[in-house]
Amino acid sequence: MAGMTRHIVLLRGINVGGHRKLPMADLRALLAGLGYTDVVTYIQSGNAVVAADEPDPEVVGAAVREAVHARFGFDVPVMVRPLEQFRAVVAANPLDVADPSVFMVLFCSEPVDTAGLTSIDLAAYPGERIAITPTEVFTYHECGAREAKLPAVVGRHCPGEITARNWRTVLRLLEMAGGS
């Protein structure tokens, strides 16, 4: 695997509510067909780890997005983080994670609008907190992710695309990529 880059691939909005159905076996086959190796997926929400000759995550993301569209007929935002960057995301988490099920990471395709995010009046969102890094936003939701209001608000301050993963999934992907 010398010269290969491990990437974590996150597809947004597949297998949600019966829409954009993409079985993980089909995703693994599609990724392998693109020439990626050591392809593994995690749960049904579009999480994969691959090894690629291509070090640029934007190139990998564009290739995956195009292939999904060509094969399955729907356009899906794809965020890709090289293993080292994904590891840095985990290390940069400034919030306490007592319960991983109520803690999420929003992965953004473009740098976040930190000024816009810091201007959010968090008093309007009791039980929710955010922490900001250049390309991710960490969110905590005391009442659970289903009741969370902040991710939608955060989305309005993140140019480009975003996709969210709970902390348990983030840690599992890091482990699968060999980064923990």
Side-chain angles (χ1 to χ4, degrees), residues 7 18-19 22 31 38 40 46 52 55 75 83 85-86 106-107 112-113 117 125 135-136 148 153 159-160 173 177 179:
H7 292 286
H19 302 286
L22 177 51
L31 294 169
D38 298 324
V40 292
D75 186 33
L83 173 57
Q85 184 180 357
F86 202 82
L106 283 66
F107 294 89
V112 300
D113 171 9
L117 287 172
Y125 307 95
T135 55
E136 286 80 30
V153 175
L173 288 168

Side-chain angles (χ1 to χ4, degrees), residues 48-66:
V49 176
V50 303
D53 288 327
E54 176 58 60
D56 187 336
E58 290 184 26
V59 172
V60 173
V64 173
R65 188 173 190 161
E66 183 179 307

Side-chain angles (χ1 to χ4, degrees), residues 106 113 116-122 124-125 128 130 137 139 141 148-159 162:
L106 283 66
D113 171 9
L117 287 172
T118 56
S119 71
I120 295 172
D121 178 12
L122 293 178
Y125 307 95
E128 296 189 70
I130 63 171
V137 178
T139 62
H141 314 283
K149 305 292 185 236
L150 270 177
V153 175
V154 167
R156 292 193 290 268
H157 294 281
C158 293
I162 64 170

Side-chain angles (χ1 to χ4, degrees), residues 79-131:
M79 261 53 77
V80 177
R81 299 292 189 268
L83 173 57
E84 292 309 315
Q85 184 180 357
F86 202 82
R87 183 182 289 129
V89 167
V90 171
N93 171 26
L95 298 176
D96 179 39
V97 184
D99 180 357
S101 69
V102 297
F103 186 79
M104 296 180 3
V105 181
L106 283 66
F107 294 89
C108 308
S109 65
E110 297 181 28
V112 300
D113 171 9
T114 54
L117 287 172
T118 56
S119 71
I120 295 172
D121 178 12
L122 293 178
Y125 307 95
E128 296 189 70
R129 297 191 314 259
I130 63 171

Side-chain angles (χ1 to χ4, degrees), residues 133-176:
T133 68
T135 55
E136 286 80 30
V137 178
F138 299 90
T139 62
Y140 169 82
H141 314 283
E142 189 175 282
C143 293
R146 288 182 186 253
E147 303 300 319
K149 305 292 185 236
L150 270 177
V153 175
V154 167
R156 292 193 290 268
H157 294 281
C158 293
E161 309 281 356
I162 64 170
T163 190
R165 296 296 185 274
N166 73 35
W167 192 244
R168 183 173 287 117
T169 296
V170 168
L171 295 178
R172 180 67 180 120
L173 288 168
L174 180 62
E175 178 184 312
M176 289 169 54

